[in-house]
Amino acid sequence: APDVGIFAQKLSTNGRLEWPAGGVALATVSGTRTQLALASDAGGGAFLSWGDPRLEGEIYGARLTRSGQFAAGWQANGTLICRRFLGLDGSQNANSLESMSIVPGPNGTAVLAWNDFRLFPPTNYGGNQNFAMLLTPTGPAASAVPMPALSQSIGSGRESADFGIRGIHPNPASLDRTVRFSLPDSRPAILDLLDVQGRRLWSRDVGALGAGSHDVRLADRMWLPAGTYFARLTQGERSATSRLVIVR
């Protein structure tokens, strides 16, 4: 997907530009932004946040002053507000931002609320959760603490003894996408790709790969329309699911 920058402009009541022509650059580093929310800071400026899967982040934000400058405590190109989940191999593989909004609060603050889909260790089952962060004039009220890696939650330290999907890379993806998963043994196991209605689009028997961690090309470069899909690993009574976003 192409890089998407974020810029802001302030207009007077009669429609005149109050900040530099071309806007104030909020985020211009390489990456694709997926959401945008803003609210007044009660001082002529604004709080802004956006979905941003670069580096370790999921959500970044900023506060611009009345004059269009980054307020003290807020970093150029965005301050990290929500980190992405860390997978077993140290990759950022899980959170998928669904929706986001900001509402003004008292004394020049604001509250950012969002909903995302994330995986939970050690089972690797996923679900949607709601979160909130208080935005103060000088930065987020709390640090963006990362969720623990799967390896920290498993405890045994032996990946070959585990079952689950460990990540899909890249995600979001276009054509090439690889799913990493672990099996405890060589019993029959199936890896499926499902659409949001639960319809199976692709399937592969992976039990013969045996115990351990495996990387498999998901859907064999099948062309998929932009949207949300699910990789599902099933072995006996156990099942694990991970979300995949396709962009065009």
Side-chain angles (χ1 to χ4, degrees):
D3 290 344
V4 177
I6 297 180
F7 300 83
Q9 180 60 262
K10 183 179 179 181
L11 302 178
S12 67
T13 55
N14 60 6
R16 298 185 62 180
L17 303 183
E18 294 197 2
W19 291 346
V24 175
L26 287 168
T28 57
V29 293
S30 180
T32 300
R33 280 84 212 187
T34 58
Q35 302 274 350
L36 178 64
L38 62 90
S40 169
D41 68 351
F47 289 101
L48 303 100
S49 66
W50 56 92
D52 195 334
R54 60 184 156 105
L55 300 177
E56 77 274 32
E58 179 191 27
I59 299 175
Y60 288 78
R63 176 185 165 232
L64 295 180
T65 65
R66 177 190 296 270
S67 61
Q69 304 296 314
F70 282 91
W74 292 92
Q75 302 174 9
N77 278 311
T79 295
L80 183 60
I81 294 177
C82 177
R83 291 183 186 273
R84 284 197 283 172
F85 175 85
L86 296 179
L88 186 65
D89 59 355
S91 60
Q92 299 91 26
N93 72 338
N95 304 36
S96 178
L97 184 63
E98 300 287 342
S99 61
M100 178 173 57
S101 62
I102 303 179
V103 294
N107 304 315
T109 64
V111 176
L112 168 65
W114 70 94
N115 176 280
D116 67 32
F117 179 98
R118 60 181 64 187
L119 305 179
F120 303 100
T123 64
N124 221 31
Y125 284 103
N128 285 75
Q129 294 286 300
N130 299 312
F131 300 88
M133 176 71 78
L134 176 66
L135 307 180
T136 77
T138 57
S143 299
V145 179
M147 295 178 66
L150 284 171
S151 57
Q152 296 171 344
S153 300
I154 292 168
S156 67
R158 295 179 299 165
E159 187 175 351
S160 61
D162 302 320
F163 170 86
I165 296 177
R166 306 310 180 198
I168 302 175
H169 311 283
N171 194 5
S174 178
L175 186 60
D176 289 309
R177 54 261 164 178
T178 299
V179 58
R180 170 168 290 186
F181 60 91
S182 294
L183 296 173
D185 50 51
S186 58
R187 289 178 298 157
I190 300 295
L191 181 64
D192 296 315
L193 180 68
L194 311 175
D195 64 15
V196 292
Q197 282 79 40
R199 295 174 297 195
R200 184 182 291 110
L201 305 177
W202 173 90
S203 185
R204 175 175 169 180
D205 185 345
V206 295
L209 296 176
S213 178
H214 309 285
D215 292 321
V216 169
R217 179 172 289 173
L218 186 60
D220 298 324
R221 293 178 61 87
M222 175 191 298
W223 189 92
L224 297 168
T228 300
Y229 300 84
F230 296 92
R232 182 180 66 190
L233 178 68
T234 306
Q235 186 179 47
E237 297 181 351
R238 291 184 292 186
S239 179
T241 303
S242 185
R243 176 172 295 197
L244 168 67
V245 176
I246 297 294
V247 294
R248 296 296 176 196

